[in-house]
Amino acid sequence: MIIDENPIEKEAMEYFHRGERAEGLKIQDEFVNALREAIKTQDHCSCKKPCKYHGKCLECVAIHRAHQEHLPNCFQPMVNKKIEILSQLTEHTMVKNLK
């Protein structure tokens, strides 16, 4: 199962954005049910680093929330993508300054 940019969850968000909460929740439940089934047989964790919490999202996210030093590896591409969009507002000068 692909979690990142999952089409079912993206469809649910379209309904939420339109104010159709009940339909959004219904579709979101489809995503969660598919995820629960996939977890039984598939490695859904996108983290490439060896970790004893690999595939244990609840524990991993709680640990990162607790120490608040950095984001879980699986969140970093999503956040970087958002930062890149914001960086475009200043012609990527922030990114250039980081180098």
Side-chain angles (χ1 to χ4, degrees):
M1 173 179 199
I2 296 171
I3 295 176
D4 297 323
E5 299 191 57
N6 182 284
I8 296 170
E9 184 57 26
K10 289 180 94 167
E11 180 184 1
M13 290 308 295
E14 289 176 17
Y15 280 97
F16 286 125
H17 293 307
R18 289 195 305 251
E20 298 178 47
R21 183 170 166 74
E23 186 62 24
L25 288 171
K26 180 181 167 190
I27 295 169
Q28 197 165 58
D29 286 344
E30 290 176 31
F31 170 76
V32 171
N33 289 334
L35 175 63
R36 287 184 177 141
E37 285 301 310
I39 286 172
K40 293 177 184 176
T41 59
Q42 297 174 7
D43 180 2
H44 62 282
C45 186
S46 60
C47 182
K48 303 297 183 221
K49 294 187 177 183
C51 172
K52 75 183 234 179
Y53 297 103
H54 183 87
K56 299 174 183 172
C57 299
L58 178 64
E59 293 91 340
C60 176
V61 170
I63 288 167
H64 285 272
R65 286 179 59 192
H67 64 60
Q68 296 197 357
E69 284 196 18
H70 60 276
L71 293 169
N73 286 302
C74 61
F75 286 15
Q76 292 175 12
M78 174 181 55
V79 173
N80 287 341
K81 190 174 175 181
K82 301 290 185 185
I83 291 171
E84 182 179 4
I85 292 167
L86 288 174
S87 177
Q88 291 174 6
L89 296 173
T90 61
E91 290 76 31
H92 297 293
T93 56
M94 179 54 113
V95 174
K96 293 172 189 169
N97 290 335
L98 294 174
K99 293 180 181 178

